Amino acid sequence: MISESMSILDRAIFDASVDALAILKPENLNVVDLNTAFCRMVGIDRESAVGESIISFLGFETLIQRERFVTSCANLGAESTREDCYLRTKRELNLPVGVTVRSLPGRLEPMTLVIIRDNSELRAIARRESNRRVVLEKLAKPTTLQEMLDAVVG
């Protein structure tokens, strides 16, 4: 397990992160280690996830996004990349997340770090802003009092 090679400080920072973190083998994308936030977000224990492919926890809207993610996990030494996707939870919910991939240099064997950040609040804010824009556009173009009321009430 990768955690055996981590210093006490590294392990404390890894486990204290509010973002879900997973360390993978780049050749097969299998989880070698993960933090407490990952376990909490998905609803599983550490032992259940170790050895599983990270792909089994992520859902992508397109095959192109999925392939970009897989390629970035395997490209050691490449710049970090970011994709928006969904984290599959044990409660069968798809949690919107942003996933950043980085290679971990200085290890005895190559490893990839995946950082998973919950985007559900950001997406809700964007949706509310979009709805506000629609209402404002309707209010800007009313021709009758009824259309104005319809725009405000919805």
Side-chain angles (χ1 to χ4, degrees):
M1 186 180 250
I2 193 80
S3 59
E4 293 169 1
S5 66
M6 283 188 186
S7 74
I8 294 170
L9 179 60
D10 289 342
R11 184 79 224 180
I13 293 169
F14 184 76
D15 278 331
S17 174
V18 294
D19 292 329
L21 304 176
I23 297 175
L24 318 175
K25 289 184 177 181
E27 66 271 10
N28 58 16
L29 306 185
N30 286 351
V31 175
V32 176
D33 199 2
L34 42 87
N35 70 348
T36 308
F38 188 101
C39 296
R40 187 177 21 77
M41 280 177 152
V42 176
I44 59 170
D45 58 69
R46 180 176 273 124
E47 292 73 31
S48 300
V50 170
E52 293 292 318
S53 171
I54 192 71
I55 295 296
S56 65
F57 299 106
L58 300 174
F60 296 89
E61 291 183 6
T62 67
L63 277 174
I64 293 170
Q65 281 181 310
R66 184 180 190 272
E67 288 307 311
R68 273 195 314 244
F69 173 77
V70 169
T71 301
S72 66
C73 286
N75 285 341
L76 298 171
E79 292 291 317
S80 64
T81 61
R82 188 179 178 292
E83 290 290 336
D84 286 322
C85 62
Y86 294 91
L87 183 65
R88 295 184 182 118
T89 69
K90 192 172 184 177
R91 294 172 301 200
E92 298 180 18
L93 298 173
N94 286 329
L95 183 67
V97 294
V99 178
T100 303
V101 176
R102 301 199 62 165
S103 62
L104 290 176
R107 302 272 179 207
L108 293 176
E109 78 180 281
M111 294 288 167
T112 300
L113 174 66
V114 175
I115 305 163
I116 302 169
R117 178 163 289 169
D118 182 348
N119 281 349
S120 52
E121 239 180 87
L122 291 174
R123 289 193 182 182
I125 290 168
R127 207 172 24 257
R128 282 194 303 269
E129 287 303 312
S130 176
N131 291 342
R132 283 187 189 124
R133 258 185 257 117
V134 169
V135 168
L136 289 173
E137 287 170 5
K138 286 180 181 178
L139 285 172
K141 302 178 198 174
T143 55
T144 67
L145 180 59
Q146 184 59 46
E147 286 178 355
M148 199 186 290
L149 289 172
D150 290 344
V152 172
V153 176

